[in-house]
Amino acid sequence: MLDGCTPWPEEFAERYRVAGHWRDETLGELLGRLARTHSYKTALVAGTDRWSYAELDTRADRLAAGLDWLGIGPGDRVVVQLPNTAELVALLFALFRIGAQPVLALPAHRSSEITYFCEFTEAVAYVIPDVHMAFDYRELAADVAARVPTLKHVLVAGDPGGFTALGDVRGDPVDLPRPDPAEVALFLLSGGTTGVPKLVPRAHQEWSYSGRAVAEACDYGEETVHLVSLPLTHNWPLTHGLLATFHAGGTLVLAPGPSPDETFPIIERERVTETGLIPGAALLWMEAAEWDEYDLSSLRRVTIGGTKLQPELARRVEPALGCRLQQAFGMAEGLCGFHRWDDPEDVVLVSQGLPVSPDDEVRVVDEDDHDVPPGEVGQLLARGPYTVRGYYRAPEHNDRTFTADGFYRTGDLVRLLPSGHIVFEGRVKDQINRGAEKIAAEEVENQLLAHPGIREVALVGLPDEVLGERICACVVPRGTPPTLAELSLFLRGRGVAAFKFPDRLEIVHELPLTPLGKVSKKTLTALLISSGAPLSSSLIGSGAAAPSSFVKDA
Ligand code: AMP
């Protein structure tokens, strides 16, 4: 176990091994096994690349040999910042094979984040595209390399500039020492919205199990064709897309982004059966499907997650896209849940899924860590065979974020249905405290989404001398924007308590997004506080003055 990572107590490790969750197989070996079983089956389609399992296996082997030749070895950290390409998949498996540990950055990260990842993990290598979305990553790499002395290699997919071309890093397969399956395979970034991102160390055996458990929960098989259009270096697309699909011997298809333009032609061509979307992208798909001519009939199911899908929107998914809706929730730290195929419709519309492993343990607790009565709202705590026991090198944060007996405090407010399905009610931090009345932002957002003049909405609390916080509704309108008075009337008509009505309304062109495309309430709040002028004046109109954080860039 790597320095700075929290080990599982032996009694848990033993239990997970006996249950068959943890197996004596590294992720590199998993690919080797798949290549033997499904040799000529198409594993991966990305752009013009179409690789069988055997070809992916060979490419990973040759790349591993090249990395080994460069001196990258077991336990070395490698910051990987590649878009959705076949090369990225080959690189991940090559690193798994040599026991080097990818630190998965998102294409939208820039120098402050990348420098932090490289310094904090003492990375020896950094892998980038040359130019992606009109951004030259080689300039970024030059900046980072000048500041991080441990960084020995910058590998570039494409034109290397002054660095090393990733395409040249290969050699004849060599015998490499086998990593321990209990060892860290990769580092994911925590989805936390405060402070510096925390690194989540995921071991070969537990992370591999999370993909197998997802494949089982989603009934994946060889016929599965899963499209990933969100950044693959994020945990959800990685487990639900790459790992689950590969465990089942299916085909993984990568798209550069989730817009209908980028995905619909691929769905038609590759006969995609499954995909994961965040609600904002799902909304675009539903709108485009009305008039677009592409054949989406191969879609068996669309999975929506990452941020709450409001029941108002959920209801529209199946009629609009002509396939089943599945909701999913999850986190880089581990725990994830999906609906099962035979879950009743009312459960699928209102809940976010059921944990995927029989050994997932969830608790819903109050502020004093006492279990709340069944069905009531509290913070979700999670422990289990693929939920980590701590962040990398963060002992103080770990003390706060994990209970003494190893439960992860998710920061999510949930309630459990009698069936065990989890219903998201908001984040602990996504609560507005208005005159000591607590308001779950998502509850009011869901109500407001039913308003015909509202396309998207985010509720944030703004500091107020008298009440502590006041409620601000930031609305992306559909047609003529509503007024604040209309919203109050509307909420009143739906029987919502008056203390939940917004005090302020901001009509905006779009909501600021995190790199994965979730609404960034942190950015939104900061912008509202810092802007003396109404937010709408800087966001509506030509867009030229829109702050860069309002532009979705990944
Ligand atoms: P990340 O680690 O970036 O995947 O973020 C994990 C967090 O995203 C969770 O703790 C939840 O707060 C949120 N999340 C994930 N899926 C959902 C969902 N279906 N509904 C609401 N929130 C979600």
Side-chain angles (χ1 to χ4, degrees), residues 113 191-195 429-430 458-463 472 474 504 506 508 510-531 535 538-539 546-553:
E113 291 101 3
T193 49
T194 55
K429 289 171 219 134
D430 198 9
L459 230 68
V460 293
L462 295 181
C472 178
C474 299
R504 179 173 160 184
E506 288 290 344
V508 298
E510 55 189 351
L511 294 168
L513 300 177
T514 65
L516 190 70
K518 300 183 191 185
V519 173
S520 173
K521 291 199 173 175
K522 192 178 160 206
T523 310
L524 192 55
T525 310
L527 279 161
L528 284 164
I529 292 171
S530 67
S531 75
L535 190 66
S538 64
L539 290 175
S548 58
S549 56
F550 273 63
V551 178
K552 189 176 167 203
D553 50 3

Side-chain angles (χ1 to χ4, degrees), residues 189-192 200 234-236 279 304-309 327-335 337 351-353 380 408 410-413 424-427 442 514 516 518:
L189 304 182
S190 120
V200 187
H234 193 277
N235 182 55
W236 180 31
I304 301 183
T307 183
K308 173 111 174 215
L309 175 67
Q327 295 203 44
F329 72 90
M331 50 207 70
E333 290 79 0
L335 180 72
S351 72
Q352 279 60 57
L380 175 69
Y408 166 56
T410 65
D412 293 319
L413 283 175
F424 270 79
E425 295 289 352
R427 296 270 310 167
E442 293 200 344
T514 65
L516 190 70
K518 300 183 191 185

